[in-house]
Structure formats: C-alpha cells, structure tokens
Amino acid sequence: MLRVHELIDQFTLKVVAGDEGLTNEIKNYDISRPALEIGGYFSHYSSDRVQILGMTEISFFERMLTDKEREDRSKRLCRKETPCIVLARQLPPPLELIEACNASNTPLLVTDANTTTFYSRLSGYLEKALAPETNMHGVLVDVYGIGVLITGESGVGKSETALELVKNGHRLVADDNVEIKEVSDNVLMGSAPKLIQNLLEIRGLGIINVMTLFGAGCILAEKRIMLNVNLETWEKGRDYDRVGLDRRKLSILNSEIEMRTIPIRPGRSLAGIIEVAAMNYRLQNMGYDAAVEFNERLNKQIKVNGGLENDI
C-alpha cells in the first residue's frame, strides 16, 4: 500500500493545499496529464491516477478559461478517488485549484523538476512500488550477473551452497525468504526482507553476516530473477535429465523463469554446478545451446550411418 506522504518524502515535494489528504492511497501506477480535461472533456478522465500539470496545462488553464470555467475544471479534477495533483517546474498553482483541493482534501503538490523528467521518475517508482509481489522460501544469489533463485526442501543445503558461492566471489541477495516483485511482464525482482538483509543461516553455525565477513562487494540489495535451480535429494531409479533438452519453467505470479532440477549426492559440487548453470544460461540467451548442438550431431550421425551401434 502506497500513500501520498510517501511520494512527498521520495521526491521532496512541497505541499500547497489539501494537506488533510496526505494519507490518500495511490492504487494505480499509471499517471495522467489531464490536458483534455482542462479543456472540458471529462468523459474518459482517469481520476484514480496521480495527475501531473505542466507548463502547457497551466498556461491554457490561466489564459484560455474564464473564472467560472477555471472553478468548474478545478472541482471536476478533484474527485474523491484522485490521490493527488502535482505541478511541475515550481509553477504557481491557480487560486481556483488551491480552493478545490482544500475543499476535497486532494493534496496539491509542487516539484522543481521539469514535467518530462518528473513523469519518467514517478512512473518508474510507481511501477516498482505497486508491482504485484509475493514471498518464496529459497536463496537468491547473483552468479556471473545472473539472478539465480535456489529452491528446495528445508535442510537440503541451499544456504551452504550460497555460502560457497559467496566465497567464490559471487553476491548474496537474500537467504531463506525472498521478496519478489513483478515489475513488468516476465521481469521479477528479488530482494531480502529488511530483518534478514545480509544474513545467512548455516545449520550448526548459526546466523552469519555476509557483509561483515566478506565485505560489501559480496552482497546485493536487489536482483532480477532469471534462473531457478531446484535442489532435491537423489532418488535411486529416478530418471534425471542428462542432455538438457527438457526445458521446464517455474511460474511466479504471472511470469515464468527457466528451471533446472539438480539432484544432490555426496561428492557433487553444488556451487560449481550452479556456476556452470548460470554460464550456460547466458550462452543460451546469446544463441548457443550445447544440448541442441549435440542433438543435431546425433541426428546427423544417424542419417549418415543408419544407426549408432558402431559409433556409440
């Protein structure tokens, strides 16, 4: 939940009127510049959005409208669902708009930024702040620039693997509980709850502070989640993917990410496997896939020899 007063703190806005509405909730990450509305066309007024008025809107408001029209437009802009109105470039607010905002408890705010710059900054902030979110049990690490979400049953070794990755020079984002926001289509950003930021829980050792032990370069506040590595105990007789053509996806909110299941067995270097998984993911995104290449070689060999009994 995002309130108007949080917006004021984030962008250092000045409150001109409607200060009793500073707890108004902002529910829509879209932003509106009500140019047509100031001209009198309110049929499709997006009143539940933050409204931004720039030089063009204010100039038209003051020069082209009569006193009665300015009063009417101001009242119609300030609806009960309107979170706030922002004036860019430190423009002096019209008296009619001040009165309407005070009467309806609609905060009237002023920024010194130009309209385009503020619109862009506010849009990015609202998309992130109001993005759908969820929590997942797992560990998030940055491995070679790839955000790897390590999942698996409790006690399977996720945190120990993350510790080994940190020792290898990679960065920890979150341990045990990962907060995930869907900031746009198939873009998931993960971070740690404030309570456990920079901390790892190692069974038998307890809580350790990764930043204190290894330095600030070993932690990251936020990372896009691109790959899921699911750890599970090796089951004898179970058929595990040996080639890499079996592409599975993990669904989080309305997005999907690549998923790899790694069976755990004594002697396997999980940290090393995850490093290779991250590098292989990067190669695949660049257009090279070793599994596809092998499959093509195999099919070619079958066509040439008519069988594999002499080659494999």
Side-chain angles (χ1 to χ4, degrees):
M1 183 179 295
L2 182 67
R3 304 286 184 179
V4 172
H5 65 81
E6 297 177 66
L7 211 65
I8 295 170
D9 296 337
Q10 179 69 26
F11 294 98
T12 318
L13 305 176
K14 179 183 177 182
V15 182
V16 178
D19 53 358
E20 292 186 11
L22 297 183
T23 57
N24 288 354
E25 184 180 355
I26 302 173
K27 300 179 181 180
N28 196 331
Y29 59 77
D30 289 322
I31 305 170
S32 178
R33 290 191 64 178
L36 287 175
E37 288 78 4
I38 289 178
Y41 185 76
F42 280 86
S43 296
H44 299 283
Y45 177 40
S46 303
S47 57
D48 62 335
R49 303 179 183 180
V50 174
Q51 310 294 321
I52 297 181
L53 301 178
M55 179 70 74
T56 303
E57 291 83 8
I58 293 300
S59 296
F60 183 89
F61 188 91
E62 293 182 332
R63 298 177 184 178
M64 305 301 294
L65 302 181
T66 65
D67 293 346
K68 187 176 181 180
E69 287 174 331
R70 286 199 293 269
E71 183 178 347
D72 173 70
R73 305 292 193 274
S74 297
K75 289 180 179 179
R76 296 174 72 182
L77 283 174
C78 300
R79 298 184 180 178
K80 62 179 181 179
E81 66 272 16
T82 305
C84 62
I85 299 174
V86 184
L87 273 64
R89 295 180 175 273
Q90 285 189 325
L91 293 170
L95 178 61
E96 295 84 357
L97 188 57
I98 292 176
E99 292 175 346
C101 287
N102 282 328
S104 61
N105 294 325
T106 302
L108 180 60
L109 315 173
V110 175
T111 176
D112 58 358
N114 65 57
T115 313
T116 303
T117 300
F118 181 73
Y119 189 103
S120 177
R121 290 173 56 202
L122 179 60
S123 178
Y125 173 77
L126 291 181
E127 283 186 3
K128 194 171 181 180
L130 299 177
E133 58 183 305
T134 187
N135 289 67
M136 283 192 68
H137 176 63
V139 178
L140 180 58
V141 286
D142 175 13
V143 182
Y144 298 125
I146 304 299
V148 181
L149 177 65
I150 306 173
T151 57
E153 294 183 0
S154 182
V156 79
K158 299 184 295 294
S159 297
E160 290 80 359
T161 303
L163 178 60
E164 189 67 26
L165 287 168
V166 169
K167 290 176 65 179
N168 290 351
H170 306 292
R171 295 185 288 180
L172 173 72
V173 182
D175 176 49
D176 190 56
N177 183 17
V178 183
E179 292 183 342
I180 302 174
K181 285 192 173 186
E182 187 179 46
V183 297
S184 61
D185 291 342
N186 283 316
V187 177
L188 300 168
M189 301 300 296
S191 60
K194 290 185 179 180
L195 182 64
I196 58 173
Q197 282 179 351
N198 311 334
L199 302 180
L200 261 176
E201 178 192 349
I202 306 297
R203 281 178 170 79
L205 187 59
I207 304 294
I208 64 171
N209 190 311
V210 173
M211 185 172 69
T212 302
L213 286 176
F214 301 101
C218 289
I219 59 147
L220 195 61
E222 186 180 55
K223 182 65 183 178
R224 179 180 176 182
I225 303 173
M226 293 172 260
L227 175 65
N228 168 233
V229 173
N230 185 54
L231 305 180
E232 64 176 43
T233 305
W234 187 296
E235 294 182 17
K236 188 176 181 179
R238 180 171 176 179
D239 186 24
Y240 292 102
D241 184 22
R242 298 179 61 183
V243 178
L245 290 174
D246 182 19
R247 298 296 169 80
R248 299 175 61 192
K249 299 284 187 178
L250 174 67
S251 295
I252 303 176
L253 296 171
N254 297 310
S255 299
E256 290 184 336
I257 59 171
E258 199 83 15
M259 179 182 180
R260 293 285 181 267
T261 297
I262 306 298
I264 299 173
R265 198 171 186 177
R268 301 197 87 192
S269 173
L270 294 179
I273 292 173
I274 290 175
E275 287 176 329
V276 172
M279 289 188 287
N280 194 50
Y281 176 85
R282 290 182 64 180
L283 278 175
Q284 289 173 350
N285 281 353
M286 294 168 65
Y288 174 76
D289 194 318
V292 172
E293 181 186 21
F294 171 75
N295 192 54
E296 290 174 350
R297 288 184 188 179
L298 190 62
N299 290 332
K300 184 178 181 180
Q301 193 71 34
I302 292 173
K303 289 180 180 180
V304 171
N305 297 336
L308 300 176
E309 50 277 349
N310 297 324
D311 299 283
I312 296 181

